[in-house]
Amino acid sequence: MQGVDPRVVCLLVGGFGPLAACEGLGPEGRNEVVLRFEPAPDGAKAGREPFTITRSDIQQAFARARLARDPSLEGSDSSPNLRRHVVDRLVEARLLRAEAAARGITVTSTAIHRELRALRRGLPESQFDKHLIRSYQTEDLLREQIEGRLLAGALLARIDPEPVSDEAVRAAFEALSVEEKVVPPRVRAAQIQVPTEELGREVMRRLSKGVPFEKLARAFAPESGGQIGWFSKGEMPPVFERTCFELKPGERSDLIPSQYGHHIFKVYERREQRVRTFEEMAGQLRAELVERRRRDAEEELLSAVRAAYSVTTDDALLEELVQEGLR
């Protein structure tokens, strides 16, 4: 087919489905290389291979981010710096995939198929085809993307950060301010919510005659029984807070109007402000330190992999794609 526009060939060979992938071709029908990664000599000895990121790779990344409602791409006037962040994530994913391959890490076709099947189950068949087109992908490209994500995940799963000592947990606790250790006042409450004042007055009359609050609350909210649960100030609408924090355990309110209707509140328990002890916070602090060390170890790995490649960038084309943002 010499002399025929490669985009036409792409369409004829692949049928309608791959049409969106053909859109990634440049004006001369070439899928232009935007970034080229060449391993340093030591990296080549370690099994690292050269790879590229093309125009269509970047367009697909933007399309996937839009489908995922990435806030970096909300609106046509989204910042180029935010859109560049999508490119940075693509580069990181490709570096991790390349490193996984260099280390001999593999994923099975069964694992890839399982991920693809889960995506298909989450979308009707017609929507799945539209998903491919809107994300500038064929099904083969989607399989490749899934494989890359699984490889990167398998590589990161091998990271074994330094264990967190008891001394580190204690030091983290001592570094907290008093405000960070404070548990604010909390109440546990329930409500009866009705749409009109007239109905609310009728409920109040029934309560005054001895009908249990819980029975009436369940009549208006069968699933929850009107239970609000524990909450602190700032977690609920102001009308809830003003009323419930003035009540003592066992007390109920008068009929209270709000934008949601009319309410009768009952408070069951109240806990005053207190300062948490080290024993209470140790588990949370240890988990936070473990996560922080894992993130640091992942960043160290990524920095080392970046340093193992020399990168050639078509700055003009990259800037064009970032400014375009796949609008």
Side-chain angles (χ1 to χ4, degrees):
M1 293 188 180
Q2 188 173 1
V4 179
D5 187 329
R7 284 169 290 188
V8 176
V9 176
C10 179
L11 178 58
L12 292 175
V13 172
F16 178 73
L19 175 61
C22 299
E23 296 290 342
L25 297 174
E28 301 301 324
R30 298 187 305 274
N31 188 10
E32 300 150 296
V33 172
V34 184
L35 298 109
R36 188 181 303 277
F37 295 78
E38 294 286 345
D42 289 346
K45 291 179 183 177
R48 296 187 177 99
E49 298 284 345
F51 66 93
T52 61
I53 291 178
T54 65
R55 171 192 284 268
S56 64
D57 291 331
I58 292 174
Q59 288 182 320
Q60 288 163 23
F62 279 129
R64 289 193 301 270
R66 283 194 182 281
L67 287 178
R69 300 186 182 277
D70 189 320
S72 299
L73 299 173
E74 287 298 324
S76 60
D77 60 346
S78 59
S79 164
N81 288 334
L82 293 176
R83 293 199 296 269
R84 190 177 290 276
H85 182 58
V86 175
V87 178
D88 293 340
R89 289 201 303 253
L90 172 63
V91 169
E92 290 177 1
R94 289 296 180 86
L95 284 168
L96 291 174
R97 175 176 183 156
E99 186 65 13
R103 297 189 186 195
I105 298 173
T106 60
V107 294
T108 65
S109 58
T110 301
I112 297 170
H113 180 68
R114 188 185 304 119
E115 292 281 327
L116 183 62
R117 187 172 57 200
L119 180 58
R120 279 188 175 277
R121 279 201 305 265
L123 294 168
E125 189 62 33
S126 61
Q127 291 299 313
F128 179 78
D129 292 337
K130 289 179 181 179
H131 172 87
L132 292 178
I133 294 171
R134 291 171 62 197
S135 60
Y136 279 38
Q137 293 185 111
T138 63
E139 188 166 321
D140 286 342
L141 287 171
L142 179 57
R143 286 180 181 274
E144 186 177 325
Q145 178 207 341
I146 292 171
E147 181 183 24
R149 177 164 51 79
L150 292 177
L151 283 169
L155 173 62
L156 294 176
R158 294 190 177 189
I159 292 176
D160 188 18
E162 180 184 352
V164 175
S165 66
D166 293 342
E167 291 76 13
V169 178
R170 172 66 72 173
F173 177 78
E174 297 297 339
L176 295 175
S177 66
V178 173
E179 290 75 15
E180 291 173 303
K181 299 175 185 177
V182 164
V183 178
R186 295 171 66 78
V187 295
R188 183 171 70 86
Q191 67 166 334
I192 299 172
Q193 180 176 339
V194 296
T196 65
E197 182 179 3
E198 181 181 4
L199 184 54
R201 293 298 175 193
E202 175 59 28
V203 171
M204 290 292 289
R205 280 193 291 272
R206 296 185 66 185
L207 287 171
S208 67
K209 291 180 179 180
V211 179
F213 179 95
E214 291 72 19
K215 180 179 180 179
L216 292 173
R218 188 163 296 280
F220 288 98
E223 292 186 5
S224 67
Q227 293 297 317
I228 302 171
W230 287 98
F231 63 93
S232 302
K233 290 183 178 180
E235 297 178 355
M236 286 288 179
V239 64
F240 287 50
E241 294 178 5
R242 283 196 304 269
T243 305
C244 291
F245 278 91
E246 291 178 357
L247 296 174
K248 296 177 181 178
E251 289 184 339
R252 61 175 171 81
S253 71
D254 291 329
L255 186 64
I256 308 294
S258 81
Q259 64 187 46
Y260 310 104
H262 288 73
H263 313 258
I264 305 165
F265 296 100
K266 181 176 180 178
V267 167
Y268 293 95
E269 296 180 76
R270 183 184 182 105
R271 293 177 182 168
E272 300 304 326
Q273 177 175 300
R274 62 185 182 83
V275 178
R276 288 179 289 180
T277 65
F278 170 73
E279 288 71 24
E280 288 179 274
M281 298 193 69
Q284 171 193 334
L285 292 172
R286 186 179 297 276
E288 290 174 357
L289 288 172
V290 168
E291 180 59 26
R292 189 181 308 161
R293 289 190 181 185
R294 175 167 292 280
R295 286 198 307 268
D296 290 344
E298 289 178 359
E299 189 55 45
E300 287 177 13
L301 170 64
L302 196 52
S303 296
V305 175
R306 283 195 190 99
Y309 289 87
S310 61
V311 185
T312 305
T313 306
D314 185 332
D315 293 314
L317 180 53
L318 178 59
E319 184 63 23
E320 172 193 325
L321 290 168
V322 169
Q323 292 296 333
E324 177 186 275
L326 199 63
R327 288 196 290 271

